[in-house]
Amino acid sequence: MNRITPRLTALAGATGLALVAWLNLSPGLTEAHATVAAPVAAMPATRQTLPDFAELVSRVGPAVVNISVVQQVASPMGNPEDPFYDFLRRFGVPVPGMPGGPNIPGVPGQGGRQIARGVGSGFIVSADGYVLTNAHVVDDATEVTVRLTDKREFKAKVEGVDKRTDVALLKIDAKDLPTVRIGDPEATRVGEWVVAVGSPFGFDNTVTAGIISAKARRLPDETYVPFIQTDVAINPGNSGGPLFNLDGEVVGINSQIYSRSGGFMGISFAIPIDVAMKVKDQLQAYGVVRRGRLGVIIQGLDKELADSFGLDDPKGALVSSVEPGSAAAKAKLQPGDVILGVNGDRVADSADLPRIIGELPPGTTIRLEIWRDKKARNIEATLGGQDSERLQARGGGQHNAGGKLGLSARPLSTAEAEQLKVPGGLVVEDVDGPAARAGIQKGDVVLALNNTPVKDVAGFRKLLEQAGDRFALLVQRGDGRLYLGVRLK
């Protein structure tokens, strides 16, 4: 910070010197010259005063919340991947958290895990207690607490998380809460003032301001979110907080920063609120986001490729391969096709296609405008479903049945279900708490709860909510099946 200040001061000094030099450039300036310069001085001023954010913040502040989480993380002393762990194992040194090591009361990491705490931000989107935040704020949390500006605290239930867009939906047991107003990110302009409210480093309701630096930013490995780039100061703890326009409407969720130091460096990114609200609606209805799947691998076009395919402009998504048995294969899409539009929505860039398709539910019939053999044509396709849907049944505090179970699972893929000759089920990816005590293991396939078949994540969540504190799970392990009794309390 100290090295930046002299640079700013030097720039201001240089500007002042330049102005003095210009005023004294021609001491013999004639009246005729002055007449020529007059119209420039008479031009209407376009400079405006800086906005006053005080009124805006007083209106929107009560709807912004602080989120604190408790997580279980691997203990460095009990992690076999840690080099120090291997060093001690080789020399036979007994260490807490290692197999055969001493069990010392009060030492974290016994059994290879320890407690970690984190902080983030969020905002209330409905008066009955629904709160939006980032998925990475509450991911793998065993307890989530929401604190309002009036100091009230609530244990929150994690209704669902969507890692692809980094959006999570929480629910607290409260009524008549202050809420934010939802804006239109498409109506925002580059250079427009925006305000962030959040809890950087745990400092509640901290306000920072800046401008929109760019729109529709594509980040590496991010295909579902056209980020809003700003220069608003965002730091750890701001994640999940709202980005407001000057009308006091939320236009984005602060999510990421670009940094070489780990701290704010003038570039931050927000998830457009329209993207987040579509995710919120699905999480509220199903607990997961159901996305359509076309089944193609695509790439962008440059000018040379566009010319070789007979296209005037390098727009669209070039199909490089088609997955056998997919919706694309059934619609007879071919490698070399260029997808130019979906249901009338233009595919200006290859990155637009995953977002457009992902916003549509499985089973939707779509009209694809494609370019093939230097001609435009339309074909229809019926979307399949994503196999990457996940149940994160850890997060959510004591009121969340999934959280009490301690299970992370995904649905069986179509091929896996056919191989096992079952209509559906959930593959266990991680296990802890009551589920681990019941004997459930990673790789087990949960087929039924109290003899009711489990087909998908949403159905399993509903069965858990109705099951009470004791129930039986039918699981397939290898070639055999067994019932396991689960006791939550």
Side-chain angles (χ1 to χ4, degrees):
M1 297 296 289
N2 291 334
R3 287 182 292 178
I4 294 175
T5 304
R7 291 183 183 176
L8 292 175
T9 304
L11 284 171
T15 303
L17 290 172
L19 181 60
V20 171
W22 180 81
L23 289 174
N24 295 297
L25 185 62
S26 302
L29 186 67
T30 65
E31 189 172 347
H33 289 110
T35 303
V36 173
V40 177
M43 290 179 63
T46 58
R47 184 178 299 175
Q48 298 178 356
T49 59
L50 293 176
D52 182 359
F53 303 114
E55 178 61 28
L56 183 154
V57 172
S58 66
R59 286 188 284 113
V60 303
V64 182
V65 301
N66 172 280
I67 297 174
S68 57
V69 299
V70 176
Q71 299 168 315
Q72 284 191 357
V73 299
S75 168
M77 298 289 276
N79 184 3
E81 301 298 326
D82 188 89
F84 191 57
Y85 178 101
D86 187 61
F87 172 81
L88 295 174
R89 179 185 62 81
R90 288 174 182 271
F91 286 91
V93 179
V95 175
M98 293 178 61
N103 183 17
I104 304 176
V107 175
Q110 304 289 334
R113 301 188 72 84
Q114 63 184 17
I115 299 298
R117 301 182 185 276
V119 65
S121 306
F123 53 99
I124 305 169
V125 292
S126 67
D128 57 348
Y130 282 100
V131 175
L132 276 181
T133 186
N134 283 148
H136 73 259
V137 171
V138 298
D139 192 30
D140 291 332
T142 56
E143 182 178 314
V144 180
T145 302
V146 170
R147 185 170 68 250
L148 310 185
T149 55
D150 62 9
K151 306 305 179 183
R152 285 185 294 168
E153 294 188 357
F154 299 88
K155 295 295 183 184
K157 174 183 177 182
V158 179
E159 292 290 317
V161 297
D162 181 50
K163 291 185 178 180
R164 288 181 182 268
T165 56
D166 196 22
V167 174
L169 179 66
L170 312 180
K171 178 69 169 65
I172 60 175
D173 187 12
K175 296 180 179 179
D176 302 323
L177 295 173
T179 62
V180 298
R181 290 190 296 131
I182 304 300
D184 179 10
E186 290 296 322
T188 59
R189 298 179 300 165
V190 174
E192 178 180 329
W193 282 98
V194 282
V195 176
V197 185
S199 303
F201 304 107
F203 295 107
D204 295 10
N205 271 70
T206 296
V207 181
T208 52
I211 62 169
I212 294 177
S213 305
K215 294 175 62 175
R217 282 294 194 210
R218 308 289 180 184
L219 303 184
D221 301 323
E222 296 283 357
T223 55
Y224 287 93
V225 180
F227 284 95
I228 300 171
Q229 180 184 330
T230 77
D231 68 351
V232 179
I234 300 297
N235 285 290
N238 273 117
S239 290
L243 184 73
F244 293 100
N245 61 20
L246 291 188
D247 292 326
E249 299 169 331
V250 176
V251 294
I253 302 179
N254 297 309
S255 176
Q256 300 185 40
I257 61 172
Y258 178 84
S259 176
R260 293 179 177 176
S261 65
F264 177 67
M265 295 185 68
I267 299 179
S268 56
F269 298 97
I271 304 161
I273 194 61
D274 56 344
V275 173
M277 291 303 288
K278 290 175 182 176
V279 171
K280 174 255 181 191
D281 291 341
Q282 290 211 48
L283 293 178
Q284 188 171 343
Y286 311 113
V288 293
V289 177
R290 303 189 297 183
R291 290 187 172 89
R293 189 170 189 272
L294 188 56
V296 293
I297 295 177
I298 58 173
Q299 66 182 79
L301 288 93
D302 55 21
K303 183 60 177 173
E304 290 185 4
L305 274 176
D307 289 342
S308 68
F309 284 102
L311 284 166
D312 294 333
D313 298 307
K315 295 182 179 179
L318 174 60
V319 177
S320 58
S321 66
V322 177
E323 181 181 319
S326 65
K330 294 174 183 176
K332 295 183 169 46
L333 269 176
Q334 302 173 8
D337 288 344
V338 180
I339 300 175
L340 301 174
V342 180
N343 291 341
D345 291 332
R346 308 307 302 167
V347 179
D349 185 85
S350 60
D352 292 334
L353 186 64
R355 176 182 56 82
I356 294 172
I357 296 298
E359 290 179 351
L360 300 171
T364 302
T365 299
I366 60 173
R367 177 175 55 84
L368 294 171
E369 181 184 344
I370 67 169
W371 185 262
R372 179 187 295 171
D373 298 329
K374 299 185 178 182
K375 294 180 181 178
R377 63 184 70 191
N378 293 320
I379 63 174
E380 285 192 349
T382 301
L383 298 178
Q386 299 273 10
D387 289 332
S388 57
E389 178 185 22
R390 294 288 191 274
L391 167 70
Q392 294 295 341
R394 296 179 181 281
Q398 56 186 334
H399 299 297
N400 185 341
K404 291 187 292 185
L405 179 58
L407 192 70
S408 177
R410 64 167 177 83
L412 283 171
S413 67
T414 302
E416 289 170 333
E418 290 177 354
Q419 183 178 359
L420 294 176
K421 297 180 181 180
V422 295
L426 300 179
V427 182
V428 177
E429 293 190 322
D430 196 9
V431 63
D432 200 356
R437 292 197 297 270
I440 298 174
Q441 300 176 9
K442 183 178 179 179
D444 286 351
V445 179
V446 180
L447 300 175
L449 190 154
N450 286 346
N451 290 326
T452 301
V454 172
K455 295 182 179 180
D456 53 31
V457 168
F460 187 57
R461 286 182 182 275
K462 291 180 180 178
L463 291 174
L464 282 173
E465 291 174 358
Q466 301 166 2
D469 294 332
R470 296 186 182 184
F471 50 87
L473 293 178
L474 175 63
V475 303
Q476 176 141 349
R477 182 176 298 164
D479 295 329
R481 296 184 181 183
L482 68 158
Y483 281 96
L484 296 172
V486 180
R487 183 174 179 175
L488 297 181
K489 294 183 179 180

